[in-house]
Amino acid sequence: MNTTCACGQSYEAPEKKPPDFLSFLDRPECCPACTVRQDAEDDEADRRMEAEQREKQAARNEAAVDRIIPPRLRLTDPADARFNSVLWDQVTAWQPTAEKPWLGLVGETGESKTRCAYLRLRQFAREAALAERPFHGAMISGMEFARAVVEQYREEGSGKVLREARTAGILVFDELGKVKATAGVMDELFALIDHRHAHNLVTIWTGNAGPQEFCTAWPEEYAGPGCGRILEASVVVG
C-alpha cells in the first residue's frame, strides 16, 4: 500500500496487522529512512537511560562507602598540598589480580595511607556500578577489630562486623599492625587473613611497618603463616 511519510516521502507500507492490546505502543508507520533514524534515536535514548541508571547506582555505592567512613576522612581533598599525591598515584595505578588481590600501604603516621585507602574503596564502588557488577565494601581498623572480637558475644552487631570484614568483596583494614595480639583476637584475625587469602578477596591494608615486622609480635603459631599469606597476596607500596 503506497502512502506518504510525515517527512513527505512516498513509500510502500506493509499491510496493517489487526490491532491487539499492545497496539497503543506501536510507532506510527514511516518510510525506511525515517525508520532507520527513529531506530537510532530509540537506541540512543536507551543508552542514555542505562547510563543514567548506572550513574545513580554509582552515587548510591559511594554513599554506602561514605556511611562507613569516619566523617573527617570524607573531607579528604586530593588537591590539598598536605595530601600524599605520590602515594595516591601508586594506589590508583594498582589493580587487584588473582595472584595479588591485596594492596599494602606502609609508611609513617601522617602519610595519607588511610585517606588513600578510603578514596580507592570509593573508586571501586563507582567502578562496580558503572560496570554493572555487585559491590560489597567494608572498612575496619585494628582497634575496632580487637574490640569487635571481645564484644562479639555480648554486644549486638559485633559478630556482624567480624563477618562483614571476613567476607566483604573489598575490605579496607586500617592499621593491621596495631591489632592487639591476644589469643582470642589472633584466632579471629588469622581466620580473616586465611579466608580472604584463600578466596582472593580484594583487601587494602595499612600499617606503619610491613608484616615482616609487625607479625613478630604475633604468637608463633600465627606469625609465620600470617606473614606469608599477607606477603604472598599483597602488592606493597609506600
Side-chain angles (χ1 to χ4, degrees):
M1 178 178 66
N2 190 273
T3 189
T4 301
C5 177
C7 70
Q9 178 69 39
S10 294
Y11 70 103
E12 193 66 28
E15 284 189 30
K16 286 188 176 293
K17 296 180 293 185
D20 58 27
F21 71 101
L22 290 177
S23 296
F24 70 96
L25 295 174
D26 291 344
R27 261 188 351 217
E29 292 288 351
C30 52
C31 69
C34 287
T35 298
V36 170
R37 176 182 56 76
Q38 186 62 57
D39 287 344
E41 290 175 357
D42 289 348
D43 289 344
E44 179 59 28
D46 288 342
R47 283 191 291 271
R48 283 198 302 270
M49 183 178 297
E50 290 168 2
E52 288 172 4
Q53 292 302 317
R54 288 193 295 270
E55 188 60 38
K56 288 179 181 178
Q57 184 60 53
R60 287 192 289 268
N61 283 5
E62 289 175 326
V65 170
D66 287 343
R67 284 193 293 271
I68 63 173
I69 299 299
R72 182 172 290 274
L73 294 183
R74 295 179 211 154
L75 302 176
T76 299
D77 179 6
D80 192 308
R82 296 167 296 179
F83 183 73
N84 190 340
S85 59
V86 174
L87 179 62
W88 179 233
D89 288 343
Q90 293 176 296
V91 171
T92 54
W94 169 76
Q95 288 291 340
T97 65
E99 182 182 1
K100 298 283 188 180
W102 295 10
L103 176 67
L105 308 183
V106 177
E108 297 298 324
T109 299
E111 292 188 356
S112 304
K113 301 184 301 296
T114 305
R115 293 178 184 274
C116 286
Y118 155 58
L119 289 175
R120 194 69 182 97
L121 180 63
R122 209 170 189 273
Q123 282 186 339
F124 277 126
R126 167 167 283 275
E127 290 166 5
L130 297 181
E132 297 183 309
R133 298 192 308 267
F135 173 78
H136 177 202
M139 186 171 185
I140 196 167
S141 71
M143 289 175 287
E144 289 168 342
F145 183 85
R147 184 168 61 249
V149 172
V150 171
E151 296 175 349
Q152 63 179 312
Y153 300 114
R154 65 176 186 231
E155 182 170 318
E156 185 178 354
S158 293
K160 180 182 178 182
V161 168
L162 296 174
R163 287 192 299 275
E164 287 241 325
R166 185 182 296 191
T167 62
I170 302 174
L171 171 69
V172 171
F173 200 124
D174 191 33
E175 301 291 6
L176 177 59
K178 291 185 178 178
V179 176
K180 190 174 182 180
T182 63
V185 170
M186 287 309 307
D187 282 346
E188 289 287 347
L189 181 59
F190 185 77
L192 178 145
I193 291 170
D194 187 59
H195 179 85
R196 298 192 69 81
H197 173 272
H199 292 84
N200 281 346
L201 295 174
V202 178
T203 306
I204 302 174
W205 58 267
T206 76
N208 290 352
Q212 302 97 318
E213 184 175 337
F214 65 69
C215 285
T216 60
W218 295 1
E220 185 178 353
E221 62 185 301
Y222 297 126
C227 181
R229 283 164 172 75
I230 295 168
L231 290 175
E232 182 184 9
S234 300
V235 171
V236 180
V237 301

